[in-house]
Amino acid sequence: MKKIAILGSTGSIGTQTLDVVRHNDNLQVLAISAGSNIKVLEAQAREFSPKMIAVWQEDKAAELRVMLADMDVKIVSGMEGLLELAVLENVEILVTAIVGMIGIQPTIAAIKAGKHIALANKETLVTAGHIIMPLAKEHHVDILPVDSEHSAIFQALHGEKDNKIEKLLITASGGPFRGRTKEQLADVRKEDALKHPNWAMGQKITIDSATLVNKGLEVMEAKWLFGVDLDRIQVVVQPQSIIHSMVQFEDGSVMAQLGTPDMRLPIQYALYYPNRRYLGGERLDFGKLAQITFENPDMDTFKGLPMAMQAARIGGSMPTVFNAANEKAVAKFLNNEIRFLDIYEMIGEAMAMHQCVENPTVEEILRTEEEVYQWIESRW
Ligand code: NAD
Ligand code: MG
């Protein structure tokens, strides 16, 4: 039995992780967690019998204790609860399917406790990669990518240990607004931004895909995961989302991973690495597929990508500013408080006012996050 815990079990990645568990008889879920959706947590608890459940909101945790009074399960809450879940005894792999920088502290706690990390929560690596990667090495812990692009690269690198990477080619669908001009983006509504052409995902990452912020976060994520410099990471738009990313080696050979867009594949690969197992679902039909096309990203219109590259080049606490400003901006856009293009404005202004801290500690990262939030609240 492989024992896992899930941070964010009610979301898109969390529920798909549970689906992988459902179809494999040697995975056991020891802990689940969510922000506030206790109805879904109750159903998950009854199906998977975890030993611990973490609920962010204490009042919801109290309600869940009543709902699950007939079960032998410990229900914890707040950051303390997430930290307790992260180090739970006997858990081998922690799936970080939580959204946002809130994942930093639990991920660090889990690594220190020797848990392998199946990492979906890219915001954590973007802001604290300089702490997490060396810490994982020190504790002999694997950081197993769940993000489809990074899983593709991870798969393409299998057996290539000593071979030199010339370039990472991260593919992007281009999102729902690919091909539009700035003028055409001025009045787009959240309902339009939430219609991703190929993937069904949580709201935050879906907006990030529309702004290309997601691709920017993924470039930073790739830099940390694979130790490749920014100038050797290229984003290629591949609108059908069939090629999930590629690695170019020093002999010019390019290895790609292809498949239908289904996150259960990278989730399952992370949980069973380096082994593959049967996974049901649609297969690529090259006869029907007809074409796979490529184009360069439109960096002038979709500034999320160039701004992320700029933040990454500056380094230190700047990726935290980029990420925190984006998290706040996306929340405001989803709340109909700002317009689509204001997301870029907010990130740009937050980056411009920031005094960069080199090599920030976790405390400095969290303080920077808080400062950015406060600044945005006072300014917008
Ligand atoms: P989602 O919004 O669908 O789910 C987020 C989960 O986190 C939910 O279970 C929610 O309850 C939980 N959560 C949120 N705030 C919490 C808090 N304060 N305390 C405890 N739990 C909390 O998001 P998602 O799409 O599943 O994405 C999760 C992460 O995976 C993100 O970092 C995203 O960028 C990354 N990712 C997602 C996909 C995808 O296909 N959905 C693909 C690649 C990477
Ligand atoms: Mg991705």
Side-chain angles (χ1 to χ4, degrees):
M1 272 295 177
K2 203 167 216 173
K3 297 178 169 63
I4 69 166
I6 308 171
L7 280 179
S9 62
T10 61
S12 164
I13 294 290
T15 52
Q16 292 181 88
T17 302
L18 289 173
D19 202 44
V20 169
V21 173
R22 213 172 264 131
H23 290 98
N24 285 286
D25 53 15
N26 58 355
L27 285 174
Q28 189 186 352
V29 183
L30 293 192
I32 55 178
S33 79
S36 59
N37 196 340
I38 50 174
K39 246 193 158 141
V40 174
L41 280 178
E42 182 192 12
Q44 291 180 345
R46 297 206 180 276
E47 181 178 356
F48 295 96
S49 307
K51 296 191 182 329
M52 184 181 284
I53 305 177
V55 189
W56 181 252
Q57 285 178 236
E58 168 53 34
D59 56 332
K60 295 281 177 188
E63 261 183 74
L64 189 63
R65 279 184 202 109
V66 176
M67 287 153 73
L68 293 176
D70 59 313
M71 284 185 70
D72 183 19
V73 55
K74 183 172 183 188
I75 299 173
V76 294
S77 67
M79 180 51 75
E80 236 169 80
L82 291 181
L83 293 173
E84 198 174 334
L85 179 149
V87 302
L88 184 65
E89 209 181 354
N90 296 326
V91 169
E92 289 164 59
I93 304 184
L94 176 70
V95 181
T96 61
I98 195 166
V99 59
M101 287 173 66
I102 194 157
I104 295 176
Q105 288 166 291
T107 304
I108 288 175
I111 294 171
K112 285 183 177 164
K115 318 288 187 195
H116 297 299
I117 307 291
L119 186 135
N121 179 223
K122 64 190 83 180
E123 296 90 348
T124 281
L125 214 50
V126 163
T127 55
H130 60 291
I131 297 169
I132 286 176
M133 296 313 290
L135 195 67
K137 202 170 172 195
E138 182 189 334
H139 291 272
H140 308 288
V141 154
D142 293 332
I143 306 289
L144 305 151
V146 167
D147 210 346
S148 58
E149 293 77 4
H150 306 75
S151 176
I153 291 168
F154 193 52
Q155 293 178 55
L157 286 175
H158 194 66
E160 302 280 2
K161 217 172 178 250
D162 298 321
N163 293 326
K164 212 163 151 206
I165 299 171
E166 197 165 78
K167 208 185 222 185
L168 298 181
L169 295 140
I170 299 188
T171 51
S173 70
F177 302 141
R178 182 176 60 89
R180 293 208 196 179
T181 61
K182 220 171 282 172
E183 292 68 39
Q184 290 169 329
L185 290 177
D187 295 318
V188 294
R189 295 168 314 144
K190 80 169 185 196
E191 291 73 20
D192 306 317
L194 284 172
K195 275 185 209 133
H196 195 281
N198 305 327
W199 298 95
M201 309 180 285
Q203 290 202 333
K204 193 253 174 187
I205 185 176
T206 306
I207 301 300
D208 288 351
S209 300
T211 54
L212 284 203
V213 162
N214 182 51
K215 222 32 70 175
L217 295 174
E218 289 183 352
V219 168
M220 296 194 246
E221 187 185 4
K223 176 189 114 160
W224 289 118
L225 279 172
F226 306 111
V228 171
D229 295 341
L230 288 172
D231 51 10
R232 288 192 293 127
I233 304 178
Q234 183 185 341
V235 172
V236 182
V237 176
Q238 198 282 282
Q240 297 83 12
S241 296
I242 298 297
I243 298 181
H244 299 309
S245 280
M246 306 178 261
V247 180
Q248 182 176 312
F249 293 95
E250 64 175 337
D251 61 356
S253 183
V254 178
M255 300 290 282
Q257 188 259 339
L258 285 68
T260 51
D262 182 347
M263 285 308 294
R264 293 175 311 154
L265 193 157
I267 293 168
Q268 181 169 290
Y269 190 77
L271 293 178
Y272 285 103
Y273 171 80
N275 300 315
R276 292 184 185 276
R277 290 173 71 94
Y278 175 75
L279 178 66
E282 244 186 280
R283 300 301 193 241
L284 283 180
D285 181 339
F286 287 93
K288 280 193 193 144
L289 192 62
Q291 58 174 5
I292 302 177
T293 57
F294 303 94
E295 49 193 82
N296 285 320
D298 176 356
M299 303 263 220
D300 292 328
T301 308
F302 298 96
K303 288 196 239 152
L305 180 54
M307 286 173 125
M309 300 292 271
Q310 191 198 348
R313 285 212 172 85
I314 297 169
S317 54
M318 200 53 94
T320 296
V321 175
F322 173 86
N323 182 70
N326 178 61
E327 284 190 22
K328 198 72 180 170
V330 171
K332 284 189 178 291
F333 177 68
L334 286 172
N335 217 13
N336 297 314
E337 288 173 48
I338 61 167
R339 297 193 308 170
F340 186 76
L341 293 174
D342 292 337
I343 297 174
Y344 300 137
E345 290 292 313
M346 232 175 228
I347 299 172
E349 286 190 18
M351 281 172 62
M353 58 75 74
H354 181 64
Q355 297 283 339
C356 196
V357 181
E358 262 178 66
N359 240 331
T361 60
V362 174
E363 291 69 32
E364 284 169 325
I365 290 168
L366 298 176
R367 200 180 317 133
T368 301
E369 178 193 31
E370 198 45 47
E371 280 167 11
V372 170
Y373 284 2
Q374 281 176 10
W375 183 79
I376 288 179
E377 284 304 347
S378 68
R379 168 80 181 70
W380 291 73

